[in-house]
Amino acid sequence: MAPSSSVVSKLKVQLKLAISRLRMVQQKDTAIAKQQRRAMAVLLEQGKEESARIRVENIIRSDITTELLEILELYCELLLARTGLMEAQECDPGLEEAVKSIIHAAPRTEIKELQQARQLLVEKYGKEFALEAVENSDGKVSERVLKKLRVKPPDPDLVTLYLTEIARTYGVNWPKRPEPVDVQDDEDDDNPSGGQAVKNLEEPLTTDELSKATPPRDLGPRSPVSVAPPSPSTDNLNPRVRLPGSPELKPGPKMNGLKKQTPGTDAQSTGKDGPKKDVVGGKIPDVDELAKRFAALKR
């Protein structure tokens, strides 16, 4: 048996190479799987369902292999991180699952770097240890690794699930779904109001219908006086009052100094003997007096 330190140093290098190789293979398998999925979508679109169901099994097997390589990559990283525990003659319990899983699964892969790492592990821990790992007599091999290594035809439900997902991803109508038929088209032609009867417009409307159609307006008595509101820019608090039918009195040049007559002053200025003479600023003559003055001026 080779010295332990020499085997561990070689194993560290080989684990790094195996990790790099495993990642490259996973990326390559993923790219190939995308092309195969696109080809499955074309078969489904052409209606070749039986051919697609057979070929999709290769995609399922490729996905399972990719998952197995991912698990082995994690185990290699674990051994690389715990190389200090590999200096002992016996396998540490914390490394036993990873070591035996790699020894058991490496011959089933095409990764040469991983197979060389397996040979170094067998050299490190002995043939009896390797035989237990190959036969899994003690049950230390990971159950996930054993499940990925099983060779059996995929379940029909899994095949259908794969095809359905591929069709959804690439926008293929599979399984064929019948186009929905608009059943309401004929009904709408016979009854354009959507199932509700239309009232004949020639029939007279009732009082309740008229009240709903035209709400009553407020037709109360209108006041003959309209008040103009004061302007917002003035301080006029008493707006003018306009009476309909009576013209607005405007002061003229001859009425300067005279007080405007209002309907309330007519009764005060008129008596039995005629209009009163006491007006602010002078007397107002009557018609007879004016006629006498006019005749005097002619003389």
Side-chain angles (χ1 to χ4, degrees):
M1 181 178 293
S4 176
S5 59
S6 176
V7 174
V8 171
S9 60
K10 292 181 181 179
L11 187 57
K12 290 172 63 176
V13 176
Q14 205 63 39
L15 287 174
K16 291 180 181 179
L17 294 175
I19 291 172
S20 177
R21 183 64 177 173
L22 286 169
R23 290 177 180 174
M24 291 177 59
V25 173
Q26 291 178 53
Q27 294 176 359
K28 180 181 177 180
D29 291 345
T30 303
I32 294 175
K34 288 183 179 179
Q35 296 178 359
Q36 292 177 346
R37 283 178 169 83
R38 191 176 296 109
M40 295 302 101
V42 173
L43 291 176
L44 293 176
E45 189 174 6
Q46 294 176 353
K48 301 178 180 180
E49 181 178 345
E50 295 299 329
S51 177
R53 284 186 176 275
I54 295 175
R55 296 186 182 185
V56 79
E57 294 184 5
N58 294 329
I59 300 177
I60 297 175
R61 184 72 253 174
S62 177
D63 289 348
I64 293 175
T65 304
T66 303
E67 292 174 1
L68 173 63
L69 297 181
E70 184 178 358
I71 296 172
L72 295 177
E73 178 189 350
L74 293 176
Y75 282 143
C76 291
E77 291 179 351
L78 178 64
L79 294 179
L80 187 62
R82 298 180 181 180
T83 51
L85 299 176
M86 300 175 67
E87 297 291 341
Q89 188 68 27
E90 300 293 334
C91 182
D92 188 88
L95 301 176
E96 190 172 3
E97 180 181 347
V99 172
K100 289 190 174 182
S101 296
I102 292 175
I103 293 175
H104 182 85
R108 308 284 293 274
T109 64
E110 298 178 356
I111 311 299
K112 294 181 180 181
E113 292 79 2
L114 186 62
Q115 294 177 3
Q116 293 176 2
R118 175 185 182 273
Q119 293 177 1
L120 292 174
L121 289 173
V122 172
E123 183 180 354
K124 166 69 177 162
Y125 295 110
K127 294 183 179 180
E128 294 182 0
F129 183 87
L131 185 60
E132 291 178 356
V134 172
E135 296 178 354
N136 192 25
S137 58
D138 53 356
K140 295 295 183 178
V141 180
S142 174
E143 183 63 29
R144 292 196 302 166
V145 173
L146 295 175
K147 184 178 179 180
K148 302 299 180 184
L149 291 174
R150 291 171 187 162
V151 180
K152 63 177 183 178
D155 189 72
D157 294 338
L158 182 61
V159 173
T160 303
L161 183 61
Y162 259 78
L163 293 177
T164 304
E165 186 64 22
I166 291 173
R168 186 190 65 82
T169 303
Y170 292 95
V172 179
N173 184 15
W174 189 91
K176 296 293 183 179
R177 293 178 292 271
E179 297 181 359
V181 180
D182 194 359
V183 185
Q184 297 181 354
D185 290 344
D186 298 337
E187 297 180 358
D188 293 342
D189 295 339
D190 298 337
N191 192 0
S193 62
Q196 298 179 356
V198 180
K199 186 176 180 60
N200 189 359
L201 298 179
E202 296 180 357
E203 298 180 1
L205 297 176
T206 61
T207 308
D208 296 337
E209 293 175 347
L210 286 174
S211 61
K212 293 179 181 179
T214 56
R217 294 181 297 175
D218 188 7
L219 301 177
R222 185 176 178 180
S223 175
V225 179
S226 59
V227 180
S231 175
S233 60
T234 61
D235 296 331
N236 181 18
L237 299 180
N238 298 318
R240 294 178 300 171
V241 178
R242 297 179 181 178
L243 297 177
S246 60
E248 184 181 1
L249 297 178
K250 296 182 181 180
K254 294 183 180 181
M255 296 182 65
N256 293 333
L258 298 179
K259 187 176 182 180
K260 296 181 181 180
Q261 293 183 359
T262 59
T265 58
D266 293 340
Q268 297 178 0
S269 61
T270 305
K272 295 181 180 180
D273 298 334
K276 292 185 178 180
K277 308 298 182 179
D278 52 345
V279 180
V280 180
K283 298 181 179 179
I284 299 177
D286 56 1
V287 180
D288 296 337
E289 186 176 356
L290 289 175
K292 291 179 181 180
R293 290 181 183 180
F294 187 71
L297 288 175
K298 286 182 178 182
R299 293 177 183 176

